[in-house]
Amino acid sequence: MGAKVSIIIPIYNVEKVVGNCLKSVVGQTLSDLEIVVVDDGSPDDSMSVVSRFADKDNRFRLIAHDKNRGLMQARRTGYMAATGDYILFCDSDDYLPLDAVEKLYKEAVRTEADIVSGDMMLVFPDHGRKETRRTSSLSFGSDKVSVYKSLLVSEYHHNLCGKIFKRELLQAHEYITVEHFTNGEDGYLFYQVLENAHKVVHLNEPVYCYFQNMSSSSKVRFGRKAIRSICMLNQLRDSVAMRHPELRRYAQSYVSAVISSLYAKGYDKDAGLDEYVAECSLSKYASLWSLFKFNPLPKACKLMMKRILGK
């Protein structure tokens, strides 16, 4: 018989921070856990730290990739091996409030939801800032179409972490995974998974502490792999509009804004944006005039000015 919850933790080059993550996991108030750690070819001593915890706790299961395959594939390896009734993802440089799993699990059982999410605490170490709470909401409803709408109006977040999933939702369906998908890994899986969900519930309590690495944030210019990943994620968003006509204007407005922003930042000149827009069937969003086709006039004008001014 499996545990109530399987926690999936991919490991790659995190020896200095993974101990904090694991302390938060083993100390959860819900103790009926399976802790699935996936070594994604980590070159450092991260797994030595993990082994010290595993030697003292029989809830650990250690799985090793033969080479580095990237976060998306490591998560898939973990969730396909999981035996718990529910699955929760935790990245190795983040950590969980000690009652987070219990709160999510109890809400999932109570509501019979396929997915239960909670709020996140954004943690800014060594930058003189306090933790900031990032909230989500599902104001349109709990069915998948309503949740897609919440995603597309940016009131709900597509992070995999901070959510609990019924195990069958992940294991009983075939989802596209891509090795070394560099930007938007969470969204690329979540948009696929949501298509098979019947009920999603949000808990207005913090259930995840998300470490903010300021040195690798939005100031870093994207390369070709990142631009291709972003285009692939927006191809998924565009496909939502095809499957659910009632969401068409929301999806097309969202994708239009993303593609326009990439052009405004000049990624067509140094990162192959034109190539990936064509590859992902997003060419209808490439022109300035498309902004007016897919957006209300005030938003279209604002996006056009940003693109002209290169912002």
Side-chain angles (χ1 to χ4, degrees), residues 46-306:
S46 296
M47 290 307 296
S48 296
V49 179
V50 174
S51 294
R52 289 198 289 272
F53 280 84
D55 288 344
K56 301 175 184 177
D57 194 326
N58 62 11
R59 295 176 297 174
F60 277 81
R61 288 180 61 196
L62 309 187
I63 303 173
H65 281 170
D66 57 350
K67 63 178 182 179
N68 177 251
R69 299 179 182 276
L71 181 59
M72 185 182 291
Q73 192 61 43
R75 284 172 171 165
R76 183 184 188 280
T77 295
Y79 72 67
M80 290 303 293
T83 62
D85 297 330
Y86 292 86
I87 290 173
L88 182 146
F89 297 98
C90 185
D91 287 347
S92 52
D93 54 350
D94 300 330
Y95 58 95
L96 303 173
L98 293 183
D99 59 353
V101 181
E102 183 175 13
K103 286 179 178 178
L104 289 168
Y105 174 77
K106 285 184 174 179
E107 188 70 1
V109 172
R110 185 186 73 81
T111 62
E112 299 184 338
D114 298 295
I115 304 170
V116 176
S117 60
D119 291 342
M120 280 190 170
M121 298 304 296
L122 306 183
V123 181
F124 300 86
D126 304 322
H127 285 274
R129 295 178 61 179
K130 295 182 179 179
E131 294 181 353
T132 300
R133 184 166 170 173
R134 189 176 77 175
T135 61
S136 286
S137 61
L138 294 170
S139 63
F140 302 105
S142 61
D143 62 288
K144 67 181 177 184
V145 171
S146 297
V147 178
Y148 275 133
K149 188 174 178 180
S150 291
L151 286 167
L152 294 167
V153 301
S154 301
E155 71 170 20
Y156 191 68
H157 302 283
H158 63 222
N159 302 76
L160 295 176
C161 298
K163 295 178 174 68
I164 198 169
F165 301 81
K166 281 186 177 178
R167 175 165 56 90
E168 293 79 8
L169 184 62
L170 291 166
Q171 291 185 350
H173 305 276
E174 190 63 37
Y175 300 115
I176 300 169
T177 56
V178 182
E179 288 192 8
H180 303 297
F181 198 97
T182 58
N183 289 75
E185 307 98 323
D186 289 37
Y188 199 75
L189 180 58
F190 189 71
Y191 270 84
Q192 295 181 76
V193 170
L194 184 56
E195 192 63 30
N196 296 308
H198 299 289
K199 184 177 183 180
V200 181
V201 170
H202 185 71
L203 192 62
N204 293 312
E205 296 188 45
V207 299
Y208 195 80
C209 296
Y210 183 17
F211 180 87
Q212 301 295 288
N213 187 349
M214 304 303 288
S215 64
S216 62
S217 63
S218 57
K219 295 179 181 178
V220 178
R221 189 157 180 83
F222 295 140
R224 290 179 66 91
K225 286 184 179 180
I227 294 301
R228 184 170 187 263
S229 297
I230 293 169
C231 286
M232 290 173 67
L233 173 55
N234 282 281
Q235 183 181 32
L236 269 186
R237 290 189 177 111
D238 191 51
S239 72
V240 170
M242 300 302 105
R243 291 194 305 274
H244 305 289
E246 64 268 46
L247 295 173
R248 185 166 296 160
R249 68 186 179 95
Y250 299 100
Q252 291 179 334
S253 177
Y254 193 111
V255 175
S256 174
V258 171
I259 299 302
S260 180
S261 176
L262 294 176
Y263 275 108
K265 294 173 182 176
Y267 285 115
D268 54 321
K269 298 177 177 64
D270 62 4
L273 178 58
D274 286 331
E275 175 187 344
Y276 299 130
V277 162
E279 177 185 309
C280 296
S281 303
L282 299 173
S283 296
K284 62 186 176 184
Y285 298 107
S287 72
L288 275 173
W289 301 115
S290 70
L291 296 174
F292 294 90
K293 180 178 180 180
F294 298 120
N295 296 282
L297 183 59
K299 182 178 179 181
C301 291
K302 186 176 180 180
L303 289 169
M304 184 179 71
M305 290 306 299
K306 284 186 175 182

Side-chain angles (χ1 to χ4, degrees), residues 23-58:
K23 284 179 185 177
S24 76
V25 170
V26 300
Q28 287 295 306
T29 54
L30 180 70
S31 61
D32 190 2
L33 303 175
E34 175 186 53
I35 305 167
V36 182
V37 176
V38 181
D39 175 12
D40 191 28
S42 185
D44 66 353
D45 287 329
S46 296
M47 290 307 296
S48 296
V49 179
V50 174
S51 294
R52 289 198 289 272
F53 280 84
D55 288 344
K56 301 175 184 177
D57 194 326
N58 62 11

